[in-house]
């Protein structure tokens, strides 16, 4: 019995069930044709469902999440979509019958529903999830659709940088992406390529620091048969050749030898290359995106990086601040990856407030990459549905404690100026004194900004929501110091 026939046989019964559900429900068959839309979806989307039944989702809802679930066979959770002039948060899953893919089902909520949810709950975890959904809707309006999986806060300092990509991507200007290891330089490079006129052409990444110098030249430029011992018969194309008509991403270019930098410059200037051991010039049409965590300007002064190559690759610079300088993004990343792990391990877990506080204030020198590893470690080891500090990696806990012990030295001037002192007779309770420090820093930021709250939030490096939560929590103390 086919899925469609089985559905039609029980349609009256199933329709009454789905129409009683408040969430908006849509179902497509294996070809992507709508076979059911419930009453809530009809009202929410302001459509006539009878007119949609039998028509293909690709025609009515291009780039829809339900088609992603159908075509990939992978559930799609918490995806944002902009259709019919409205923003939606969508969940979609493939449907199988006897092991065969027979269709897909999706549910969705719009912005008004999220507001209603927020008004209904006042709980640490629930409110964080609601803020996460609101954040997803906001980012749809700020960033290109192709960057929908870039996980940042709506208050992130990265928003301005990333919003420039839509204008610059269609050009062939060379781009240099700067930032520490783990901040997401390759994610940005790939998005630039996907938004460029070279989309659909090759995107070839190479990590210049990961390949020994002796092999890097042949990896980049290829080689001819017999060029060296062990060379393949008929030779081999290099990364530049493979990227022809497309984009090459030179990651960690600052780690490339001075000798090889000269050869890269020649290729970029002449728009052609010669394979190792060869003599024929091969024409190239390649867009170059480079990335580094090095101080290239200092390297130029020390004659370890070529100035002419620097200007060749630095048509425009994107600088990604480390995660510790954009704490407003940490909350969003935590929620995003906890959801990812929930799907991966088929269980639900959340962070305890203590573990959340640690991650929010940990230096995270490995940036997003480190945060993901720490979260997954805690997710796997936690014996209950709440991840405790003890479930996090030992190195993370020790690093955080060493960092906190250093706070008095690093913050002494700020604390002094903000009237926060700690005498020998005062309590040494950690959380109590952290609260005093929070009050002191908020007061200092408000004084420096002449009570301009937006400026104070930027100085503190926290989200707007976090700032106002603390204003409410420490209302009496802050009012006292601002008198």
């Amino acid at each position: 019995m086919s899925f469609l026939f089985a559905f039609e046989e029980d349609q009256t019964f199933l329709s009454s069930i789905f129409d009683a559900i408040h969430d908006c429900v849509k179902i497509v068959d294996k070809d992507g044709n709508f076979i059911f839309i419930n009453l809530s979806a009809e009202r929410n989307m302001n459509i006539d469902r009878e007119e949609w039944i039998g028509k293909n989702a690709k025609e009515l809802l291009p780039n829809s999440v339900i088609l992603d679930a159908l075509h990939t066979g992978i559930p799609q959770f918490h995806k944002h979509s902009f259709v019919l002039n409205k923003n939606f948060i969508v969940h979609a899953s493939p449907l199988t019958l006897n092991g065969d893919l027979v269709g897909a089902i999706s549910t969705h909520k719009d912005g008004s529903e999220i507001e209603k949810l927020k008004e209904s709950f006042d709980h640490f975890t629930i409110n964080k999830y609601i803020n996460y959904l609101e954040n997803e809707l906001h980012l749809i309006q700020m960033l290109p659709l192709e960057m929908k999986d870039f996980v940042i806060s709506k208050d992130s300092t990265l928003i301005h940088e990333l919003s420039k990509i839509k204008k610059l991507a269609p050009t062939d200007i060379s781009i240099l992406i700067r930032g520490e290891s783990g901040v997401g330089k390759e994610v940005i490079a790939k998005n630039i390529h996907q938004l460029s006129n070279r989309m659909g052409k090759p995107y070839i990444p190479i990590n210049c620091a990961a390949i020994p110098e002796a092999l890097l030249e042949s990896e980049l430029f290829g080689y001819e048969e017999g060029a060296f011992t062990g060379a393949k018969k008929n030779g081999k194309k290099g990364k530049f050749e493979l990227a022809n008509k497309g984009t090459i991403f030179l990651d960690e270019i600052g780690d490339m030898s001075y000798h090889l930098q000269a050869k890269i410059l020649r290729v970029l200037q002449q728009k052609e290359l010669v394979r190792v051991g060869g003599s024929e010039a091969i024409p190239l049409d390649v867009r170059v995106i480079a990335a580094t965590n090095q101080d290239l300007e200092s390297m130029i002064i020390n004659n370890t990086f070529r100035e002419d190559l620097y200007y060749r690759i630095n048509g425009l610079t994107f600088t990604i601040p480390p995660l510790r300088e954009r704490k407003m993004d940490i909350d969003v990343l935590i929620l995003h990856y906890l959801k990812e792990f929930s799907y991966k391990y088929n269980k639900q877990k959340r962070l305890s407030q203590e573990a959340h506080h640690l991650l929010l204030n940990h230096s995270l020198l490995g940036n997003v990459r480190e945060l993901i590893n720490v979260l997954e470690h805690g997710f796997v080891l936690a014996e209950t549905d709440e991840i405790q500090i003890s479930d996090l990696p030992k190195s993370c806990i020790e690093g955080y404690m060493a960092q906190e012990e250093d706070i008095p030295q690093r913050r002494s001037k700020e604390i002094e100026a903000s009237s926060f002192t700690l005498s020998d007779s005062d309590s040494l309770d950690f959380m109590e004194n952290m609260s005093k420090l929070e009050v002191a820093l908020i007061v200092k930021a408000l004084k420096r900004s002449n009570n301009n709250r937006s400026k104070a939030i930027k100085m503190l490096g926290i989200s707007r929501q976090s700032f106002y939560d603390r204003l409410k929590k420490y209302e009496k103390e802050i009012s006292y110091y601002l008198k």
Side-chain angles (χ1 to χ4, degrees), residues 84-95:
L84 304 175
N85 295 315
K86 290 179 75 173
N87 291 309
F88 300 96
I89 293 294
V90 186
H91 309 270
S93 296
L95 294 171

Side-chain angles (χ1 to χ4, degrees), residues 290-301:
T292 185
N293 60 9
Q294 304 275 21
D295 183 350
L296 297 185
E297 290 79 9
S298 295
M299 293 179 69
I300 290 170
I301 293 171

Side-chain angles (χ1 to χ4, degrees), residues 415-434:
I415 293 170
E416 218 173 81
S418 301
S419 304
F420 173 68
T421 58
L422 194 63
S423 68
D424 290 340
S425 59
D426 285 334
S427 167
L428 295 178
D429 180 84
F430 180 78
M431 294 307 295
E432 180 184 335
N433 283 295
M434 282 301 296

Side-chain angles (χ1 to χ4, degrees), residues 207-244:
N207 189 323
C208 302
I211 301 172
E213 184 183 346
L215 300 177
L216 187 56
E217 184 174 355
S218 60
E219 279 292 312
L220 287 169
F221 308 129
Y223 58 81
E224 295 291 357
E225 181 179 343
F228 49 81
T229 304
K232 290 183 179 180
K233 187 178 181 181
N234 300 324
K236 179 184 175 183
K237 289 183 178 181
K239 300 296 187 183
F240 271 95
E241 258 188 279
L242 293 172
N244 209 8

Side-chain angles (χ1 to χ4, degrees), residues 268-455:
L268 299 183
Q269 286 176 333
Q270 299 176 359
K271 297 185 178 180
E272 62 181 24
L273 63 80
V274 177
R275 291 182 183 177
V276 175
S279 57
E280 179 187 352
I282 301 170
L284 284 177
D285 173 19
V286 175
R287 192 212 189 134
V288 175
I289 302 175
T292 185
N293 60 9
Q294 304 275 21
D295 183 350
L296 297 185
E297 290 79 9
S298 295
M299 293 179 69
I300 290 170
I301 293 171
N302 295 324
N303 292 319
T304 54
F305 197 86
R306 296 183 63 97
E307 186 173 10
D308 42 10
L309 178 58
Y310 172 79
Y311 289 115
R312 176 64 64 173
I313 63 174
N314 191 22
L316 185 130
T317 295
F318 282 100
T319 301
I320 312 176
L323 199 52
R324 62 185 171 277
E325 291 179 11
R326 46 189 178 95
K327 293 188 177 182
M328 68 288 289
D329 290 347
I330 297 177
D331 259 342
V332 178
L333 286 161
I334 287 172
L335 282 165
H336 174 81
Y337 285 106
L338 285 180
K339 291 295 173 188
E340 292 276 314
F341 299 144
S342 294
Y343 168 66
K344 181 177 179 179
Y345 296 106
N346 196 29
K347 60 181 75 172
Q348 296 284 335
K349 293 193 180 183
R350 63 183 183 274
L351 273 181
S352 69
Q353 292 199 39
E354 293 76 19
H356 177 267
H357 177 86
L358 185 152
L359 289 180
L360 204 60
N361 293 280
H362 181 40
S363 58
L364 291 170
L365 297 178
N367 292 290
V368 179
R369 192 178 294 125
E370 181 183 354
L371 180 62
I372 295 171
N373 291 341
V374 168
L375 280 173
E376 187 161 18
H377 183 283
F379 196 99
V380 171
L381 289 188
E383 295 183 354
T384 67
D385 60 358
E386 189 169 77
I387 302 169
Q388 305 294 335
I389 287 180
S390 57
D391 299 318
L392 303 180
K394 185 179 179 182
S395 59
C396 173
I397 300 169
E398 290 176 348
Y400 172 73
M401 295 309 295
Q403 175 186 321
E404 291 305 313
E405 286 172 8
D406 194 38
I407 280 180
Q409 287 74 33
R410 291 187 290 110
R411 298 286 195 186
S412 59
K413 290 184 180 179
E414 288 290 336
I415 293 170
E416 218 173 81
S418 301
S419 304
F420 173 68
T421 58
L422 194 63
S423 68
D424 290 340
S425 59
D426 285 334
S427 167
L428 295 178
D429 180 84
F430 180 78
M431 294 307 295
E432 180 184 335
N433 283 295
M434 282 301 296
S435 297
K436 290 180 182 178
L437 181 57
E438 285 183 335
V439 170
L441 293 175
I442 290 171
V443 169
K444 187 68 176 178
L446 288 170
K447 285 183 176 180
R448 274 194 192 175
S449 63
N450 292 320
N451 214 33
N452 184 315
R453 293 184 175 185
S454 294
K455 289 182 180 179

Side-chain angles (χ1 to χ4, degrees), residues 136-193:
E136 292 287 286
L137 290 176
H138 178 81
L139 291 181
I140 303 170
Q141 303 165 43
M142 298 298 296
L143 301 178
L145 183 62
E146 289 82 354
M147 300 191 70
K148 62 185 179 181
D149 291 327
F150 206 96
V151 186
I152 55 173
S153 161
K154 62 184 178 182
D155 298 318
S156 177
T157 53
L158 268 183
I159 285 283
H160 177 68
E161 287 286 288
L162 297 178
S163 63
K164 294 188 292 188
I165 290 178
K166 193 170 185 179
K167 294 179 181 177
L168 295 163
T171 72
D172 269 344
I173 189 170
S174 57
I175 291 176
L176 177 62
I177 306 171
R178 310 186 75 154
E180 294 179 2
S181 178
V183 293
K185 297 190 290 291
E186 184 167 1
V187 176
I188 289 182
K190 190 173 290 187
N191 274 284
I192 291 171
H193 173 72

